[in-house]
Amino acid sequence: MSDKCKKIRNFEVYSIRNIMQKILILDFGSQYTQLIARKVRELNIYCEIYAYNKIPEITPDVKGVILSGSPYSCNDKDAPIPDLSNIKGKLPLLAICYGAQYLVKIGGGHVSPSAHREYGRANLHFVDNDCVLMKGIPEKSQVWMSHGDTILDIPSNYKLICSTKDVKYAGYRIEGEETYAIQFHPETTHSLDGLTLIKNFVVGVCGCDQSWTSQTFVDEMIDQLRQQLGNDKVVLGLSGGVDSSVAAVLLNKAIGQNLHCIFVDNGLLRKNEFESVLESYKDMGLNVKGVNAKDLFYSELKGVTDPEKKRKIIGKTFIDVFDEEAKKIKDVKWLAQGTIYPDVIESASVKGPSVTIKSHHNVGGLPEYMKLKVVEPLRTLFKDEVRKVGQQVGLKQDLLGRHPFPGPGLAIRILGDITPEKIAILQEVDHIFISQLREFGLYDKVWQAGAVLLPVQSVGVMGDERTYENVVAIRAVESIDGMTADWSHLPYDFLAKVSNDIINKVRGVNRVVYDISSKPPATIEWE
């Protein structure tokens, strides 16, 4: 190849790499769909999740598509049926579990209920290493099965690429197109070579160049915000948490003093948090105004016990306060929010894919009377990715390392109605717990921690007196992005000290319990 040709070729490669590449993931309702996205992102490749019945336009930046599993059988009368007319045979396609079974059915193969549910660890007994999808995956590799149906027969142009002892058609490819399918779940940690398989697809088959990094995101987002917002003024609600703080820094880099930040004290924050958060923002060059609105929130929440109503009341009241404050700033056109990807996913509600688990205060838009457009710089990021972006833009470590805290605050950690007295009790309990985590050097080892005031009273003995007081639960979990979480195995001596301090120092509490539930099946918050 001549030097001239080399130069032209290099220029072309450079141009292609500066076009955003992405993988689409079509969700059929699998509990593992978000894990697929996490694995792809781990490879520095951008991806987006869409409902199977809401497939976006296939643009040149889409390099491949992945079909998720599903709680449905492809033989069900109401089984989810995607329109793959612009995908199959035209783009690289990886079908997982339900997706693999669905492709067999529409191709004329045979899918039937398993003699027994195939769930748990299995090992590959046959691997076709000549197939690009299976490169580097050894025989005996452990995989994770989770399906009620199984493939009994595949069409003649479908070629076997892997088997386990009990599942002959653990994987196949379709001749004449870049379509691959597997009946196991490479996205789970139990599939020991799962990341290799996913990399084989997104890099080896789709040709993605693994260039999507936190620095890439920062550069592209700042540029996008400048184009989107121009000289418009933006108002942002700061909470003191990582999400809103990172969103604020990105917006500040994009539009500077046209960003107006408001920190609302809704009376549901941690002890002394309003003052400490305002103090922490002093050196960040942000326009920040603190607003004390706790009495308004208490009034609106009086007598409300339903958690969804609490969330919606807090969201509405927050918007009302914002509307009032925004009107004091001339010509504000945008409301910025720290919405992240798990908020969007958990608030989704369509047939098949992840049904609504709980509504989020910052997902779902604004009432028309507010006359503000919404900008969400972090909407496509998982929590750990937000932290990496925060590190990239120089956010202080004390803010970056803060545990997630729910938008509705302590309102959803008080089971039952909200009163100032209950809030004061929970603030003290929470303060002791979080302070002790820091003192014992455990704070940074825990992803999220907090306390819950239960609508339960129990008998106790203090001195020679019988007590009948409140029960509190303390909760600490370990996670990467909040989509799944395991309870933290905190030391017994630590738990003993926390329990003793809470009972001795917080009047009205005589019993402490530790929540050892994981997500799923439980959620991190109790409401």
Side-chain angles (χ1 to χ4, degrees):
M1 184 183 293
S2 70
D3 290 340
K4 183 178 179 181
C5 288
K6 286 180 182 177
K7 288 179 182 178
I8 293 172
R9 187 170 180 177
N10 288 338
F11 176 77
E12 288 172 346
V13 171
Y14 178 83
S15 300
I16 291 168
R17 287 180 177 174
N18 278 273
I19 297 173
M20 170 69 82
Q21 300 177 338
K22 66 183 175 185
I23 299 293
L24 297 187
I25 300 168
L26 302 188
D27 180 21
F28 294 88
S30 170
Q31 62 180 316
Y32 301 133
T33 302
Q34 293 80 27
L35 297 182
I36 302 172
R38 291 296 305 116
K39 290 293 186 182
V40 174
R41 298 274 186 97
E42 191 177 326
L43 294 165
N44 293 331
I45 295 168
Y46 183 67
C47 63
E48 294 176 351
I49 297 172
Y50 289 90
Y52 75 91
N53 54 358
K54 296 183 179 178
I55 302 173
E57 178 187 357
I58 303 300
T59 51
D61 57 351
V62 177
K63 299 302 177 185
V65 177
I66 299 176
L67 307 183
S68 83
S70 176
Y72 286 86
S73 163
C74 65
N75 293 317
D76 287 347
K77 185 171 64 176
D78 57 349
I81 299 175
D83 178 5
L84 300 179
S85 57
N86 291 323
I87 296 172
K88 185 176 177 296
K90 299 177 181 178
L91 282 174
L93 179 64
L94 173 63
I96 296 173
C97 197
Y98 174 88
Q101 294 161 359
Y102 172 75
L103 292 184
V104 166
K105 182 177 180 180
I106 64 172
H110 187 197
V111 178
S112 179
S114 305
H116 54 83
R117 180 170 169 79
E118 292 164 348
Y119 181 84
R121 294 172 177 85
N123 295 97
L124 298 178
H125 278 237
F126 162 72
V127 178
D128 178 7
N129 287 130
D130 290 332
C131 174
V132 63
L133 190 72
M134 307 306 293
K135 291 286 185 186
I137 298 176
E139 289 189 11
K140 308 299 183 184
S141 178
Q142 179 180 291
V143 297
W144 183 258
M145 295 287 186
S146 179
H147 53 264
D149 285 350
T150 195
I151 298 169
L152 297 182
D153 191 31
I154 58 176
S156 59
N157 63 325
Y158 288 36
K159 300 302 178 184
L160 183 68
I161 58 174
C162 63
S163 304
T164 70
K165 180 181 178 181
D166 297 317
V167 181
K168 179 178 180 180
Y169 299 106
Y172 62 83
R173 62 180 175 83
I174 300 180
E175 290 186 318
E177 55 187 78
E178 295 285 8
T179 298
Y180 304 84
I182 49 176
Q183 281 201 89
F184 55 89
H185 289 271
E187 67 271 28
T188 67
T189 55
H190 305 300
S191 290
L192 300 185
D193 296 296
L195 187 62
T196 297
L197 187 147
I198 292 172
K199 183 178 180 180
N200 286 343
F201 177 70
V202 295
V203 177
V205 179
C206 301
C208 294
D209 60 17
Q210 297 180 270
S211 61
W212 192 73
T213 63
S214 55
Q215 184 60 60
T216 304
F217 176 85
V218 169
D219 294 342
E220 290 175 350
M221 181 51 62
I222 290 173
D223 184 57
Q224 180 180 318
L225 290 171
R226 283 174 179 155
Q227 292 181 40
Q228 182 181 9
L229 303 174
N231 291 319
D232 292 349
K233 291 183 180 178
V234 179
V235 63
L236 166 68
L238 287 174
S239 67
V242 176
D243 303 336
S244 65
S245 299
V246 174
V249 173
L250 284 172
L251 284 158
N252 189 49
K253 286 181 176 294
I255 62 172
Q257 295 303 298
N258 277 339
L259 173 66
H260 297 262
C261 301
I262 297 172
F263 181 34
V264 177
D265 184 1
N266 58 13
L268 304 165
L269 304 173
R270 286 181 155 136
K271 183 179 178 181
N272 300 327
E273 189 164 28
F274 184 60
E275 296 78 12
S276 63
V277 167
L278 282 176
E279 183 67 26
S280 68
Y281 284 125
K282 273 188 177 179
D283 300 327
M284 293 176 61
L286 302 175
N287 291 325
V288 184
K289 179 181 180 182
V291 180
N292 185 340
K294 63 175 67 175
D295 290 341
L296 175 60
F297 279 86
Y298 292 167
S299 173
E300 294 295 326
L301 286 167
K302 187 174 182 180
V304 177
T305 59
D306 180 79
E308 273 297 287
K309 287 184 178 177
K310 289 180 188 177
R311 289 177 180 275
K312 287 174 181 176
I313 287 170
I314 292 166
K316 180 184 179 303
T317 307
F318 174 78
I319 288 171
D320 290 343
V321 172
F322 248 76
D323 186 44
E324 185 177 336
E325 292 299 323
K327 286 176 180 174
K328 298 175 184 177
I329 306 168
K330 189 177 180 182
D331 297 328
V332 169
K333 294 183 179 179
W334 297 83
L335 173 66
Q337 296 186 146
T339 309
I340 63 173
Y341 212 18
D343 297 341
V344 177
I345 295 167
E346 288 194 344
S347 295
S349 182
V350 294
K351 177 179 177 281
S354 313
V355 295
T356 299
I357 298 169
K358 57 190 175 184
S359 64
H360 287 262
H361 70 289
N362 57 350
V363 177
L366 300 170
E368 287 187 15
Y369 70 78
M370 205 168 173
K371 293 181 171 43
L372 292 179
K373 294 177 284 186
V374 176
V375 57
E376 298 171 318
L378 310 177
R379 188 181 178 87
T380 60
L381 299 185
F382 289 96
K383 176 66 79 171
D384 61 316
E385 294 171 331
V386 174
R387 285 199 168 97
K388 289 177 183 177
V389 168
Q391 208 166 27
Q392 198 70 50
V393 297
L395 201 65
K396 295 178 181 177
Q397 187 54 44
D398 61 337
L399 279 174
L400 267 183
R402 283 172 64 93
H403 289 175
F405 188 68
L410 299 180
I412 57 169
R413 293 182 179 177
I414 296 174
L415 276 58
D417 66 321
I418 310 296
T419 67
E421 293 75 23
K422 289 181 180 179
I423 292 167
I425 289 173
L426 189 56
Q427 283 178 330
E428 291 299 327
V429 171
D430 178 87
H431 180 69
I432 290 170
F433 184 30
I434 299 301
S435 297
Q436 292 288 5
L437 282 171
R438 293 187 186 280
E439 187 176 321
F440 274 68
L442 296 169
Y443 185 85
D444 292 332
K445 297 178 182 179
V446 169
W447 192 77
Q448 183 172 346
V452 182
L453 182 62
L454 305 182
V456 174
Q457 291 189 313
S458 71
V459 174
V461 177
M462 291 187 178
D464 294 326
E465 295 184 7
R466 177 181 182 275
T467 62
Y468 194 63
E469 294 180 332
N470 296 293
V471 180
V472 294
I474 55 176
R475 179 134 168 84
V477 299
E478 296 172 8
S479 182
I480 295 175
D481 51 38
M483 299 306 301
T484 60
D486 290 322
W487 62 278
S488 297
H489 293 236
L490 297 176
Y492 288 158
D493 57 342
F494 167 79
L495 292 172
K497 187 173 190 313
V498 168
S499 174
N500 188 64
D501 284 355
I502 289 171
I503 292 171
N504 285 335
K505 295 178 181 179
V506 184
R507 186 174 295 276
V509 175
N510 70 354
R511 191 177 299 269
V512 177
V513 298
Y514 186 49
D515 182 351
I516 58 170
S517 310
S518 294
K519 175 186 180 181
T523 53
I524 295 175
E525 299 295 339
W526 279 44
E527 287 193 339

